[in-house]
Amino acid sequence: MRFLSQIFQPVITIPKGAKIKNTEITCKSQKLLMECGLVRPTSSGLFTILPLARRSITKLENIIHHCLEEVGAQRLSLPCLTSAKLWKQSGRIDSVGPELIQVEDRHGKRYLLAPTHEEAIADLVADIGPLSYKQLPFLLYQIGNKYRDEHRPKHGLLRSREFSMLDAYSIHASDACATNTYNVVTDAYKKIFRTLDLPVHRVQAPPGDMGGRLSHEWQLPAAAGEDALAVCPSCHHAARARQPGACERCGADTCAVNSIEVGHTFVLGARYSEPLLAGFVAPDASTAPVHMACYGIGVTRLLSASVEALSSEKALRWPAAIAPYSAVVIGPKEGSKEWSAHGFDRVQDVARRVEQNAFRDDVIVDDRHQLTIGKRLMMADRMGYPHIVVCGRGALEAPPRYELFRSGDAEPRALDLNELLATLADQRIRQPVDAGADYGESAG
């Protein structure tokens, strides 16, 4: 069990229009994450992820791990540094150019801090190949830090120079097989966003510098988004568009909304395998380039985008599955009448029972008993904990009753301990993926 007084959470107050270490405050998610002690800028476009935000990211990574492992993906870790010669072979070093952070070692060999790993995967396949068609298809993935030399980093984690990303790559003997796996991974993406309860739209998009024959962006509506969608309120179809019009699917009028790209998927064909000589041996003993597809989700961007979409200007709101803690327990103020009857030992017992019955290892106790309940309740609401349990005046009753505040509820509920535990356990059961499952340390 964790106690809030022991959490490293450097809360700050940012004056309106302020700049913090050359970081302009340009959106509410950036402001709230910094003010609430979840991230800290180190320089333009670079951030330290502090413990509570790190917990949320770990939960998000666990959801992604679960959904990808469920469709047969295999996890690996690739180096952050990729040889520049591979990007020259693919032709991307010039087209992507200014966004690449390049370095040179003491031997004069050039590398880049990879923003993505298509070349590295194709080189891996080439190095161990040619593969037999019997070894195909397979799906590899990692979650790690990526790098992009943004011309003007902004919006905090939404557009930074270093960011955490899921990148996955599937290898195939045919375009039909690549398309089939693409559809399977699309279903996994849908489960990820359904677990987060976020209205993310898959929209067809140009492949751009990545190349390939098919590309989809995964867009989350949010006012601070720099992309735009036309969304049909009737059939919920969405398309990239700056202006509303008639929906191509049902003909109804669409609505224009700003959005944030949180993922991108591509069917690449031989775009990388051909120049990098990644091939396979067919049943007739002929050789051909493998077909590839790739899949990305910006993990830190998705975290920030979800906060951007759900929060108010004054308080954080999380997808329940990735809140830093699912529940916080607030005890009476020290020295009060309630404290005499329901002191710290009993507060800890309530928290322990909530952990055992509902949120395993996911409950924190606000043990700052020198503060009033009202003050701590206000701070807990600003942090956006999905469930706030208050041991207040009702704890003097027989049996004791506890106030349960939940995000989205207009009023708290007064419940005895059994009712409280049953209500919270029901919330846990409704989660389609256990965000607290242990999938090991994240790469990077």
Side-chain angles (χ1 to χ4, degrees):
M1 185 185 305
R2 288 283 190 177
F3 301 108
L4 200 52
S5 65
Q6 299 171 358
I7 297 295
F8 182 63
Q9 186 185 5
V11 175
I12 60 174
T13 300
I14 303 173
K16 189 174 182 180
K19 292 179 69 172
I20 309 295
K21 281 197 177 180
N22 299 318
T23 298
E24 295 181 14
I25 310 302
T26 54
C27 66
K28 64 183 176 184
S29 59
Q30 179 187 15
K31 184 174 187 290
L32 289 168
L33 290 173
M34 289 172 59
E35 285 189 338
C36 292
L38 298 169
V39 302
R40 195 85 172 188
T42 60
S43 58
S44 180
L46 299 173
F47 294 86
T48 296
I49 306 296
L50 297 170
L52 291 176
R54 182 60 255 182
R55 275 186 65 90
S56 290
I57 290 172
T58 298
K59 288 183 174 185
L60 179 52
E61 289 170 345
N62 285 342
I63 292 169
I64 293 170
H65 287 312
H66 174 91
C67 294
L68 287 181
E69 298 273 352
E70 199 173 51
V71 297
Q74 303 173 69
R75 189 179 179 188
L76 83 170
S77 294
L78 294 160
C80 291
L81 287 173
T82 299
S83 174
K85 70 177 184 180
L86 298 180
W87 282 61
K88 289 180 181 177
Q89 284 178 253
S90 72
R92 277 210 296 178
I93 200 161
D94 293 324
S95 60
V96 178
E99 292 191 352
L100 299 176
I101 300 175
Q102 301 190 49
V103 298
E104 185 175 301
D105 70 9
R106 67 178 70 188
H107 306 293
K109 293 183 178 179
R110 296 198 64 78
Y111 298 86
L112 52 90
L113 284 166
T116 183
H117 281 88
E118 286 73 26
E119 285 84 356
I121 287 288
D123 183 59
L124 174 66
V125 172
D127 188 50
I128 61 175
L131 300 171
S132 166
Y133 72 93
K134 295 179 182 179
Q135 297 172 272
L136 305 176
F138 55 84
L139 174 61
L140 305 173
Y141 81 100
Q142 64 176 352
I143 298 176
N145 287 1
K146 304 293 187 293
Y147 303 86
R148 182 177 295 130
D149 192 4
E150 289 280 359
H151 177 65
R152 186 173 178 266
K154 62 184 295 190
H155 293 345
L157 298 181
L158 291 178
R159 187 188 284 183
S160 56
R161 288 177 171 168
E162 181 182 26
F163 50 93
S164 178
M165 190 175 88
L166 155 79
D167 50 321
Y169 308 89
S170 56
I171 310 298
H172 312 269
S174 68
D175 185 68
C177 182
T179 301
N180 181 64
T181 298
Y182 188 82
N183 292 333
V184 169
V185 177
T186 291
D187 288 340
Y189 268 44
K190 290 177 180 178
K191 184 172 183 178
I192 291 168
F193 298 124
R194 189 167 63 248
T195 301
L196 299 173
D197 197 22
L198 292 174
V200 176
H201 299 279
R202 189 183 82 147
V203 297
Q204 196 157 346
D209 292 325
M210 192 73 78
R213 69 166 179 82
L214 182 63
S215 163
H216 289 93
E217 293 174 351
W218 297 75
Q219 295 275 355
L220 174 63
E226 296 181 310
D227 295 327
L229 298 178
V231 180
C232 177
S234 178
C235 70
H236 306 294
H237 179 262
R240 287 162 49 102
R242 289 285 171 189
Q243 299 295 331
C247 175
E248 60 187 62
R249 179 177 293 174
C250 70
D253 290 337
T254 62
C255 301
V257 297
N258 289 355
S259 62
I260 300 168
E261 181 187 337
V262 295
H264 210 143
T265 52
F266 302 83
V267 176
L268 299 169
R271 164 69 179 85
Y272 298 90
S273 56
E274 188 168 13
L276 292 161
L277 306 179
F280 77 102
V281 179
D284 62 2
S286 64
T287 59
V290 296
H291 293 256
M292 294 176 60
C294 68
Y295 319 86
I297 291 177
V299 176
T300 44
R301 172 179 275 207
L302 177 55
L303 178 87
S304 186
S306 64
V307 168
E308 188 68 38
L310 300 177
S311 301
S312 69
E313 294 291 336
K314 295 183 178 180
L316 286 163
R317 290 295 180 263
W318 307 86
I322 62 169
Y325 285 91
S326 290
V328 60
V329 177
I330 299 174
K333 183 180 180 182
E334 193 171 7
S336 66
K337 184 178 179 181
E338 290 81 9
W339 177 263
S340 300
H342 201 285
F344 192 37
D345 287 344
R346 295 188 67 180
V347 171
Q348 290 181 83
D349 183 62
V350 171
R352 196 173 295 112
R353 297 284 298 276
V354 172
E355 278 198 329
Q356 292 170 349
N357 289 272
F359 304 119
R360 176 173 52 90
D361 300 323
D362 206 24
V363 178
I364 192 164
V365 177
D366 191 338
D367 58 330
R368 298 169 298 175
H369 305 299
Q370 74 279 12
L371 301 177
T372 65
I373 287 178
K375 176 70 172 177
R376 284 176 287 158
L377 179 59
M378 181 183 69
M379 296 165 75
D381 179 68
R382 181 168 170 76
M383 265 297 300
Y385 296 112
H387 305 92
I388 304 172
V389 178
V390 174
C391 309
R393 187 173 301 171
L396 298 176
E397 298 180 18
R401 301 183 73 79
Y402 305 96
E403 287 185 295
L404 174 62
F405 295 79
R406 296 191 299 183
S407 293
D409 286 357
E411 297 290 338
R413 299 173 63 185
L415 306 168
D416 66 31
L417 185 58
N418 289 332
E419 292 170 336
L420 174 69
L421 297 178
T423 301
L424 295 177
D426 181 61
Q427 295 299 307
R428 180 71 174 188
I429 291 169
R430 292 182 185 183
Q431 285 294 335
V433 172
D434 182 2
D438 184 10
Y439 291 88
E441 282 295 317
S442 170

